């Protein structure tokens, strides 16, 4: 395993990590979750990602049960949660969602209870909240750090301007700014990481724990001939994901990428993950495997990403046709 610093913080995070979105509780049970997290940990993965909304709190409970059963040294791994959407679904009342001080503090306490932990290593604001002053968010996160309930805080799917505003507020009041952003990043979605965040990387520094490196499985090639039963895009409630990703134009590109993978002597899934970690601004790529074989396979991306020469990267860009244009002055 390779480890990278999380932005300008001192935290060292495994370049590949393991997340529970969609999979925990919905697709896998405790027994399989235990095996997958064990396999990840034994291969040097030290970051496990979660959120209050995943399976409406059940994902955190499941991860908590696995961690308790594992009895790993708490200082050897990093656990996250995220707050914004709430966990009660349609039953959410006012103040049970968003980034108010009330919800952020209460959601933190609930996550700690569900995961049976004394503190969270990383706590994310799962989306920006335009109804809450950024000062309130930065003060709240600073207080949670000072109380020892969280160690670092971050954002997810925020704009560069919103992240910079949080840093300006932190500087103004001598508070603690966000050290990490969790955006979607894959061969189909590149704009934020490759263009929008560049000024943030160069000025205040920013770690990234990117999700959906396989574009919900599209970049494995398994959807090339339709939607297999039991796959992520066949699940009820994820129609929006299917409609957004499963486009004929995307499948055509995936078929061309398969040839690049074959020429490298690897698989499409490994190539797609390797492509994300070749970007030096990616601190960690979150994997969401539901089978041990999948996780073992994608771990090989660590061996493949050094093989991605500028020529191969250019070939991939030509196939995708979506490399962000550099800002022109």
């Amino acid at each position: 395993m390779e480890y990278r610093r999380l932005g300008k913080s001192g935290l060292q995070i495994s370049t590949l990590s393991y997340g529970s979105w969609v999979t925990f509780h919905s697709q896998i049970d405790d027994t399989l979750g235990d095996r997958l997290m064990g396999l990840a940990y034994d291969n040097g993965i030290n970051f496990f990602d979660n959120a209050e909304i995943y399976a409406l709190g059940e994902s955190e409970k499941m991860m908590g049960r696995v961690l308790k059963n594992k009895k790993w040294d708490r200082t050897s791994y990093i656990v996250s949660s995220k707050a914004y959407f709430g966990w009660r679904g349609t039953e959410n009342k006012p103040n049970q969602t968003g980034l108010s001080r009330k919800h952020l503090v209460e959601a933190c306490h609930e996550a700690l209870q569900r995961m049976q932990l004394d503190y969270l290593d990383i706590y994310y604001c799962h989306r920006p909240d335009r109804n809450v002053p950024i000062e309130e968010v930065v003060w709240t996160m600073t207080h949670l750090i000072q109380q020892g309930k969280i160690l670092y805080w971050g954002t997810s799917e925020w704009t560069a301007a919103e992240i910079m505003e949080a840093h300006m507020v932190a500087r103004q009041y001598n508070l603690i700014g966000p050290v990490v952003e969790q955006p979607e990043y894959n061969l189909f979605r590149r704009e934020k990481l490759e263009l929008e965040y560049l000024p943030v990387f160069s000025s205040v520094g920013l770690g990234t724990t990117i999700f959906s490196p396989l574009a919900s499985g599209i970049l494995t090639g398994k959807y090339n001939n339709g939607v297999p039963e039991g796959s992520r895009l066949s699940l009820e409630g994820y129609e929006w994901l299917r409609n957004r990703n499963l486009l004929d134009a995307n499948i055509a590109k995936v078929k061309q990428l398969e040839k690049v993978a074959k020429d490298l002597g690897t698989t499409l899934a490994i190539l797609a993950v390797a492509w994300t970690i070749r970007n030096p601004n990616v601190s960690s790529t979150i994997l969401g495997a539901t089978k041990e074989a999948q996780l073992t396979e994608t771990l090989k991306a660590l061996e493949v990403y050094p093989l991605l020469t500028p020529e191969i990267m250019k070939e991939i860009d030509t196939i995708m046709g979506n490399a962000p244009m550099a800002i022109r002055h």
Side-chain angles (χ1 to χ4, degrees), residues 14 26 56 66 71 102 117 122 136 146 156 204 302 317:
S14 51
S26 305
L56 301 179
V66 171
K71 295 186 174 66
K102 179 173 173 62
L117 298 171
I122 306 173
E136 182 173 341
Q146 288 168 338
S156 182
V204 294
L302 290 161
D317 281 347

Side-chain angles (χ1 to χ4, degrees), residues 61-93:
K61 288 180 187 173
M62 184 173 155
M63 187 172 279
R65 291 192 297 269
V66 171
L67 288 171
K68 190 169 187 184
N69 184 51
K70 289 294 190 191
K71 295 186 174 66
W72 294 327
D73 186 332
R74 178 64 183 91
T75 62
S76 69
Y77 59 87
I78 299 162
V79 182
S80 71
S81 184
K82 308 181 196 73
Y84 176 83
F85 295 102
W87 59 268
R88 296 167 181 84
T90 54
E91 304 299 312
N92 277 322
K93 291 182 170 61

